[in-house]
Structures are given as C-alpha cells and as structure tokens.
C-alpha cells in the first residue's frame, strides 16, 4: 500500500520540477515581452503628433479668447509646429483674435494679439466709391480721408488709419449704410479712433483701400 501511494506523489513532484525548469517556457515569455516592447517602441517613435489648440466656435477679430473657447486637437504638423499654438503655450490671460478663425480651425500664432499691445476697438464707417473685391472679412485695409477745402472742393487724401482689420461688411443695413457707399465694420487702434470720428463728423470723404494684395498664382 505504501509503495502504491508514494508513486503518484513522486510523479507529481517530477512534473512540477520539469514545468518549473522547462527552458521553452522561459524563452516563450521572453519573446512575448520583447514583442510587446517592440510594438510600444514603434508606436512611440512613429507617433509625432502635436497637441495644439483649435477654435471651439467661430471667432472674429477683436474677440477675447480664453482657454474655454478652445479645444485640443492632436495633429501632425511636421515643420509647421511653430506656426500654431501648442498645448500649454496659451497665455493665462487669453488673447485678442486679430483675424477670423472658423470653428474647428487650428489657432495660428499669427492670430494672437495681447490686450495691452493691440488695444483695438470696432468702428462702423461708410466709405465712398465702393469697396474693392479683396476687401472682405479679415482683410487688412488703410482708411484714407479727404477733407473739404475752399475753392478746390476737397484736399489731397491722406491715410488716417493704417492696417485696420475688416470685421464684417454691412451692405444691407440701412441704419449704418450711406447713400454713397456700403458700411463696413473695422477693427482699429484706440489711439486712432478720435481721428477717425473727427473725419466722419467733418464730412470728410472716406475711402477704404486694401493694405496688401494677395500674390498672383
């Protein structure tokens, strides 16, 4: 009886030792670990995406933009990384948009303006003589004024605001449109508002001219 009962136990111990010392198991574990590590390394090196900010909704020039107005997008920018605002680079006080940004559009660094540096405000003016086709929302324009002069009608025009930003065209708004031309809302430096209002009050002839033209393709 004792011999029969001892044989199964010895066989069990032998199998346990064989299982514990089986080199094939160790090699298999090493291969699995190496495979997983290799896949992780490949994914890490191939994923060169950058987290940048995008507009949660449409933004217009002059809007004060905070982090709550933006969302994070992970995109591949390659050499263009410096042209957009990366996650963590947003000023704590936000920024002033200097150009239109559509909903979902990545926020370019060129659209950032500081609250102290820009000090912009919007003014609606009614230029005479119509507007060029390139004068659209977001365009940079110069405002020219020609004051009424004795005997000669109007004096030579001069630039009173340089580099104003077009916020919108209000061609059909009868409250702000004039009989001579369509009204246009401009984003102008506060330091030039008084000069613009003076020209408007004096009845000067105002013209809005594109500050720059797109390059020909």
């Amino acid at each position: 009886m004792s011999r029969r009962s001892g044989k199964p136990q010895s066989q069990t111990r032998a199998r346990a030792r064989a299982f514990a010392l089986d080199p094939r198991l160790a090699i298999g574990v090493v291969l699995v670990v190496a495979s997983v590590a290799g896949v992780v390394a490949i994914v890490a090196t191939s994923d060169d995406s950058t987290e940048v900010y995008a507009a949660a909704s449409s933004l217009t020039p002059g809007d004060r933009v905070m982090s709550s107005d933006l969302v994070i997008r992970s995109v591949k920018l390659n050499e263009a990384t410096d042209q957009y605002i990366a996650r963590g680079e947003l000023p704590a006080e936000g920024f002033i948009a200097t150009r239109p940004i559509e909903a979902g559009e990545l926020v370019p660094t060129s659209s950032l303006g500081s609250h102290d540096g820009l000090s912009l405000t919007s003014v609606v003016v009614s230029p005479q003589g119509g507007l060029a086709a390139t004068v659209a929302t977001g365009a940079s324009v110069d405002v020219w004024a020609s004051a009424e002069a004795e005997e000669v009608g109007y004096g030579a025009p001069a630039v009173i605001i340089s580099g104003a930003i077009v916020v919108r065209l209000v061609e059909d708004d009868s409250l702000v449109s004039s009989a001579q031309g369509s009204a246009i809302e401009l984003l102008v430096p506060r330091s030039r508002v008084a000069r613009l209002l003076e020209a408007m009050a004096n009845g000067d002839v105002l013209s809005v001219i594109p500050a720059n033209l797109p390059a020909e393709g």
Side-chain angles (χ1 to χ4, degrees):
M1 294 292 294
S2 59
R3 292 180 179 177
R4 293 180 179 178
S5 60
K7 187 175 182 180
Q9 293 178 0
S10 62
Q11 291 176 347
T12 301
R13 288 194 295 270
R15 285 196 297 268
R17 287 195 299 271
F19 178 79
L21 301 176
D22 190 348
R24 292 173 297 179
L25 176 62
I27 294 174
V29 171
V30 171
L31 291 176
V32 171
V33 172
S35 177
V36 172
V39 171
V40 172
I42 292 174
V43 172
T45 55
S46 62
D47 185 12
D48 55 355
S49 299
T50 303
E51 290 188 329
V52 295
Y53 290 100
S57 58
S58 297
L59 303 173
T60 58
D63 284 350
R64 179 176 181 178
V65 183
M66 306 297 293
S67 59
S68 57
D69 301 311
L70 306 173
V71 294
I72 298 294
R73 292 284 184 267
S74 181
V75 295
K76 292 185 178 181
L77 297 175
N78 299 324
E79 293 81 8
T81 302
D82 295 339
Q83 298 180 20
Y84 297 92
I85 309 174
R87 185 171 190 171
E89 295 180 354
L90 186 71
E93 70 279 7
F95 65 93
I96 297 293
T98 60
R99 48 148 286 188
I101 305 174
E102 299 296 330
E105 181 183 351
L106 301 184
V107 180
T109 54
S110 60
S111 68
L112 270 70
S114 67
H115 299 278
D116 297 331
L118 289 180
S119 298
L120 302 176
T121 189
S122 59
V123 179
V124 176
V125 300
S126 296
Q128 285 73 29
L131 298 171
T134 55
V135 177
T137 300
S140 178
V141 298
D142 295 332
V143 180
W144 293 68
S146 179
E148 187 174 2
E150 297 181 358
E151 299 180 357
V152 295
Y154 288 90
V159 176
I160 60 174
I161 297 178
S162 179
I165 304 297
V166 178
V167 177
R168 64 189 177 103
L169 305 179
V170 283
E171 299 179 3
D172 297 327
D173 193 334
S174 60
L175 294 178
V176 292
S177 296
S178 69
Q180 295 174 301
S182 299
I184 183 172
E185 184 176 355
L186 300 176
L187 201 63
V188 301
R190 293 184 182 276
S191 60
R192 303 300 298 168
V193 171
R195 178 66 185 91
L196 176 59
L197 296 180
E198 178 185 12
M200 295 169 62
N202 292 337
D204 294 354
V205 174
L206 301 179
S207 299
V208 173
I209 308 299
N212 48 58
L213 295 176
E216 295 183 358

